[in-house]
Amino acid sequence: RDDVIGVFPLARVGETITLVVTRSSEQGCGDVLVIPSENIRRDLPLNEAVEVTLTPASAGTLRFTCGMGMFDGAIVVTE
């Protein structure tokens, strides 16, 4: 998709996955990770690994963003 930047982790429907996110810069609005469709919002302390666990219920693309929606990526979910 042209409107999504960032990484594209892969997942399968019904399979629990854990993303490990480490913010390495104080610049910008990357201090929060949001996965809107999963009602997930996590603070990302500087230089600390934060685990985010979820189980996708359907195939498609799960968009994730920074707290302001400026930086984004997607988790690609397959059957």
Side-chain angles (χ1 to χ4, degrees):
R1 292 181 27 191
D2 292 338
D3 61 330
V4 177
I5 61 172
V7 297
F8 298 90
L10 299 177
R12 291 186 186 266
V13 172
E15 182 177 286
T16 300
I17 62 169
T18 301
L19 303 175
V20 180
V21 182
T22 304
R23 178 171 64 106
S24 60
S25 173
E26 291 183 336
Q27 295 179 335
C29 56
D31 58 339
V32 175
L33 173 73
V34 180
I35 306 175
S37 65
E38 301 296 307
N39 294 318
I40 294 174
R41 183 180 184 90
R42 297 285 191 279
D43 290 331
L44 300 175
L46 187 63
N47 296 319
E48 290 184 32
V50 174
E51 293 186 358
V52 179
T53 301
L54 61 112
T55 305
S58 60
T61 302
L62 293 178
R63 182 172 179 253
F64 58 87
T65 71
C66 66
M68 295 178 67
M70 296 176 64
F71 299 106
D72 64 354
I75 301 165
V76 178
V77 182
T78 61
E79 292 291 330

